[in-house]
Amino acid sequence: MGLKKLISDKTLREYKEPTATRQAYGNFLIRFGEYEKIFVIDADLSGSLQTKQFKNKHPDRYLNLGICEGTMAGFAAGLASCGYIPFINTFAMFHSTVAYQFIFQSIAKTKMNVKIIGSHGGIHTGEDGDSHQAINDLAVMRSTPNIKVFEFSDAIQTERGLECILLDDGPAYIRLHRNKMPIIYDSSFKFEIGKGYELFAGKNIAFISSGIMTHYALKLAKLAGNCRVIDMPTIDPIDEELILKVGKENKRIVVMQDHFINGGLSDAVAKVIADKNLDILFEEISLRDFAESGKPKDLFKKYYNL
Amino acid sequence: MRIKKKDLLQLELISTILRDDIITMIHEANSGHPGGSLSIADIICCLYFGKDRYGENILRYNPEYPDWENRDRVILSKGHAAPALYSALGEAGFFNKKWFSELRRIDSILQGHPDMHKTPGIDFSTGSLGQGSSVGCGIAYAAKLQNKDFKVYVIAGDGELQEGSNWEAFSIAGHNKLDNFCLIIDSNKLQIDGSVFDLNDIEPLEMKFKSFGFATRRIDGHNYREIINALDHFKNCRKSNRPFVIIADTIKGKGVASIEGNVDYHGKPIKGQIYTEAKKYFKKKSEKLSRLLSCKKSNSQIKVIYETIKLKGLELMLKTWD
């Protein structure tokens, strides 16, 4: 069956309760698992990446390679060269460190159609500590040609976003999260690669964020009043048009990211501001160093003052 | 497997042509890796131009259709030996041989390391050591999933085996019984900074591969009989469902006597007197072999003749050219 038809036929489930983006990913795989080109690979983290149900339904297009994230990426590149659309799954941290040699050489340089799914992004990952919190994964992927970079802020956006990514040909990196997040969008939401979404209109501060930070931005915006909140799920290619609009209509941008200060969403926004000579105050809430173990709430208080 | 004397002579002739191409293109580029390209030249020659026990080409390919879905795949994991692969692809007719003189130059289809999007006949891009095997495993797995019977050949260096990622892939190949996966180790004993034995010895290889679930065979990588026998064995008479490794003992720089076994020529082009003498030697040798094979000669060019090969209903025609 044609992919476009399959996507339009498969209705999205109802999302009401707070749901982790990684859970939504698992649901997406079940929804589209019958598409014979999809191949799912794990590196011993199938529980965390919610791929178990896909494995049970489509065991011939599933493989758990064990603890070898780089080899998983190379293996996926080989599969992609034979027409498959592999989804490779591990913690965001490992894609951008141990597996990066393979992602750079065998996926990005060759433009293989591999979807790189990195869960547990940001310090919001919590108790496992700084060895497992991905704090520069978006920078690493953003700095690599040919990889589109995404971070979703709720379950509905995750599923709709993944539909577009599945239709798109070429490497993609998707940062997902460990913890549940409230539902922001409704089922009528239409995702477009490279577009940001205005969740709140206002002339005062314009918050630009993605992922968990969008929820914090919404909270701040409500407190401050007359603020704008832009959810920017596509980090690369970023929605330059929307940033331009914000630059003309607002006096102050605050970028919020659960990511190290260099190379992530804040740099992407700052570049547009510089390139387009926008006259606007630029501030950011970013990580300045490695973090530590702790409850997500405590970590966000200590490292972001949120 | 019995191999006719004529076929051995033909392989020697073709590998002489390949060696000549290799040192010429590196000389033109004034950049490249002669040592590791020359050490693998005989194996590459047998893969692309050798025949198995049924008279079929060892490697299944068609230069007219480089993207043929059911072709055998070759992944040069030791990507710096690209000149060896390019020489075979050029002589087989995947692209015009005029590109040899454009190796490593700007806008060239022949990149410093294999690029699948720039060179017809390159099945996967390589360059950073230690990645070819995992990609090869993925392709071998896809073949099984799609019920296709093509084979995957991965060529790696011995120094390269110091890179741990290889062993992850070998473990996966063994665990998943990828018997359509043939690894070839070009064991020329040298790396950049010295001998493999001195820096970080990777032997005993047969034991290591056996423990990873491979069937193994150790050969002299410059003996055509041994090479063809090993490749034919992989292709035609495997009984086990294990991946296969051919550990080929080779000499770095083989074919150019004054640089054989010389660690300096890993990444240094052959120039000056050594180059001129090597060119003279290859010319003399190929003329002698052509005479023995009763090939027609014109303007000191070599004519190599191939037969029409039928392959599962698809006619694979290899060309005759001047």
Side-chain angles (χ1 to χ4, degrees):
Chain A
M1 181 191 254
L3 186 56
K4 274 202 180 120
K5 180 150 200 316
L6 186 68
I7 287 174
S8 61
D9 279 358
K10 296 276 179 182
T11 36
L12 188 64
R13 73 169 64 192
E14 220 190 326
Y15 281 108
K16 279 206 185 119
E17 297 304 311
T19 309
T21 51
R22 62 187 172 112
Q23 178 61 61
Y25 165 63
N27 297 339
F28 167 84
L29 283 182
I30 299 161
R31 205 154 53 100
F32 293 103
E34 69 194 68
Y35 184 52
E36 66 281 349
K37 288 196 176 163
I38 292 180
F39 196 104
V40 174
I41 317 178
D42 272 317
D44 200 35
L45 283 173
S46 64
S48 298
L49 275 292
Q50 298 291 317
T51 53
K52 279 212 167 91
Q53 283 195 272
F54 177 93
K55 174 195 173 183
N56 292 333
K57 277 190 108 179
H58 309 282
D60 55 329
R61 283 182 285 113
Y62 174 86
L63 201 54
N64 194 328
L65 294 177
I67 311 170
C68 55
E69 296 81 3
T71 294
M72 171 169 70
F75 191 98
L79 283 173
S81 76
C82 296
Y84 287 100
I85 305 177
F87 283 73
I88 57 174
N89 304 279
T90 186
F91 287 164
M93 158 62 86
F94 304 135
H95 283 307
S96 54
T97 52
V98 67
Y100 185 66
Q101 185 202 24
F102 287 78
I103 291 174
F104 181 92
Q105 283 277 131
S106 300
I107 294 176
K109 204 161 76 71
T110 55
K111 300 183 193 162
M112 288 293 116
N113 193 12
V114 177
K115 313 303 180 187
I116 306 160
I117 310 291
S119 182
H120 292 46
I123 68 172
H124 210 260
T125 298
E127 287 83 343
D128 269 348
D130 55 8
S131 58
H132 285 64
Q133 294 158 357
I135 61 164
N136 71 335
D137 55 320
L138 299 174
V140 168
M141 298 302 168
R142 224 190 114 232
S143 71
T144 316
N146 302 328
I147 303 185
K148 294 193 175 76
V149 183
F150 304 90
E151 183 179 26
F152 300 124
S153 55
D154 87 345
I156 292 180
Q157 189 182 67
T158 302
E159 290 225 45
R160 290 294 188 220
L162 285 167
E163 285 168 13
C164 293
I165 290 164
L166 184 59
L167 276 167
D168 187 62
D169 184 38
Y173 173 75
I174 296 105
R175 185 201 239 202
L176 302 175
H177 315 88
R178 179 182 173 223
N179 302 311
K180 295 192 164 107
M181 300 203 280
I183 308 298
I184 303 175
Y185 295 93
D186 63 44
S187 55
S188 68
F189 170 66
K190 279 187 167 40
F191 186 91
E192 211 185 313
I193 293 177
K195 289 278 172 261
Y197 302 94
E198 187 176 85
L199 298 175
F200 243 77
K203 292 280 180 217
N204 204 347
I205 306 172
F207 293 98
I208 303 181
S209 59
S210 59
I212 188 83
M213 281 296 192
T214 295
H215 298 267
Y216 282 89
L218 285 170
K219 279 192 202 143
L220 286 180
K222 283 192 185 123
L223 287 170
N226 196 22
C227 286
R228 200 168 194 165
V229 175
I230 306 285
D231 183 32
M232 199 68 95
T234 309
I235 314 285
D236 190 17
I238 200 151
D239 191 346
E240 288 190 9
E241 238 180 83
L242 185 52
I243 297 170
L244 201 63
K245 191 162 184 261
V246 167
K248 293 194 176 125
E249 294 168 10
N250 297 74
K251 291 241 163 11
R252 205 166 143 207
I253 282 181
V254 175
V255 180
M256 297 172 65
Q257 54 177 8
D258 186 4
H259 190 273
F260 184 59
I261 186 166
N262 292 341
L265 178 63
S266 66
D267 270 0
V269 172
K271 189 161 194 322
V272 177
I273 293 173
D275 280 350
K276 309 280 182 201
N277 286 313
L278 296 180
D279 182 16
I280 190 159
L281 266 168
F282 172 85
E283 286 163 89
E284 65 183 291
I285 296 178
S286 304
L287 195 62
R288 307 296 161 131
D289 197 352
F290 291 95
E292 62 184 297
S293 288
K295 289 196 166 67
K297 250 182 10 186
D298 296 336
L299 289 167
F300 264 50
K301 185 128 196 269
K302 181 169 178 179
Y303 290 92
Y304 298 128
N305 231 345
L306 288 171
Chain B
M1 179 190 149
R2 277 193 63 221
I3 305 173
K4 288 186 228 153
K5 180 92 194 264
K6 173 178 171 251
D7 290 336
L8 290 173
L9 283 174
Q10 192 164 71
L11 287 171
E12 203 178 338
L13 171 58
I14 300 171
S15 68
T16 306
I17 297 170
L18 296 186
R19 287 195 157 88
D20 186 56
D21 290 337
I22 289 168
I23 67 164
T24 311
M25 73 174 86
I26 293 174
H27 185 261
E28 265 298 297
N30 197 20
S31 171
H33 300 79
S37 303
L38 291 166
S39 61
I40 197 67
D42 295 312
I43 287 173
I44 295 244
C45 173
C46 291
L47 258 179
Y48 280 87
F49 304 104
K51 283 184 248 176
D52 69 7
R53 65 181 58 205
Y54 304 119
E56 283 187 4
N57 223 56
I58 297 274
L59 197 69
R60 183 197 292 173
Y61 67 95
N62 186 338
E64 309 268 286
Y65 300 102
D67 296 328
W68 175 20
E69 262 186 34
N70 214 24
R71 71 190 189 280
D72 284 344
R73 307 306 205 262
V74 173
I75 298 172
L76 188 66
S77 190
K78 50 170 285 182
H80 54 280
L85 189 51
Y86 294 158
S87 68
L89 296 174
E91 293 295 345
F94 278 90
F95 52 81
N96 192 315
K97 289 196 285 181
K98 71 168 181 144
W99 284 107
F100 285 165
S101 60
E102 297 293 314
L103 173 71
R104 294 176 162 233
R105 295 235 177 109
I106 194 108
D107 298 326
S108 175
I109 69 162
L110 299 185
Q111 295 290 292
H113 293 76
D115 187 322
M116 64 200 287
H117 296 307
K118 293 207 159 102
T119 317
I122 297 288
D123 294 318
F124 210 88
S125 306
T126 51
S128 184
L129 297 174
Q131 294 190 37
S133 288
S134 63
V135 174
C137 281
I139 298 176
Y141 196 93
K144 288 201 172 288
L145 203 57
Q146 293 167 344
N147 281 317
K148 294 208 167 100
D149 65 346
F150 65 80
K151 309 272 186 248
V152 183
Y153 297 87
V154 175
I155 303 171
D158 54 351
E160 183 180 1
L161 294 181
Q162 292 164 347
E163 196 70 62
S165 50
N166 287 297
W167 299 92
E168 291 178 3
F170 302 153
S171 184
I172 283 160
H175 182 84
N176 288 281
K177 302 189 175 12
L178 300 178
D179 56 9
N180 53 351
F181 179 87
C182 178
L183 176 69
I184 301 170
I185 305 296
D186 179 4
S187 181
N188 63 26
K189 318 292 180 269
L190 298 175
Q191 49 195 117
I192 297 179
D193 287 340
S195 80
V196 177
F197 177 78
D198 284 337
L199 261 72
N200 186 359
D201 189 15
I202 41 102
E203 297 283 358
L205 282 178
E206 282 119 304
M207 261 174 75
K208 284 181 178 168
F209 278 111
K210 280 196 163 79
S211 69
F212 275 72
F214 276 64
T216 71
R217 188 180 278 213
R218 191 138 196 164
I219 63 166
D220 171 357
H222 301 301
N223 182 314
Y224 301 113
R225 232 186 264 276
E226 288 186 33
I227 300 170
I228 294 283
N229 263 297
L231 291 172
D232 171 77
H233 177 82
F234 167 71
K235 197 181 169 195
N236 294 315
C237 45
R238 301 292 313 289
K239 290 195 184 88
S240 78
N241 53 3
R242 289 176 284 166
F244 193 64
V245 61
I246 300 171
I247 302 161
D249 290 308
T250 58
I251 296 170
K252 200 157 185 169
K254 174 77 176 172
V256 180
S258 45
I259 71 149
E260 283 181 8
N262 187 334
V263 73
D264 290 340
Y265 282 90
H266 170 86
K268 187 166 96 171
I270 299 169
K271 295 203 276 209
Q273 202 178 356
I274 304 178
Y275 176 74
T276 328
E277 280 174 11
K279 288 285 286 181
K280 259 196 235 156
Y281 170 72
F282 290 143
K283 182 166 187 234
K284 221 171 137 191
K285 189 172 180 195
S286 51
E287 280 168 0
K288 176 180 166 205
L289 288 164
S290 319
R291 270 199 305 277
L292 287 169
L293 283 162
S294 318
C295 290
K296 284 191 196 146
K297 237 177 19 149
S298 64
N299 296 330
S300 57
Q301 279 178 319
I302 309 298
K303 195 176 193 173
V304 184
I305 300 161
Y306 302 94
E307 300 135 48
T308 305
I309 295 165
K310 265 196 187 125
L311 196 69
K312 298 207 190 245
L314 186 86
E315 294 220 354
L316 179 66
M317 180 116 56
L318 298 171
K319 295 176 183 149
T320 357
W321 57 85
D322 270 329

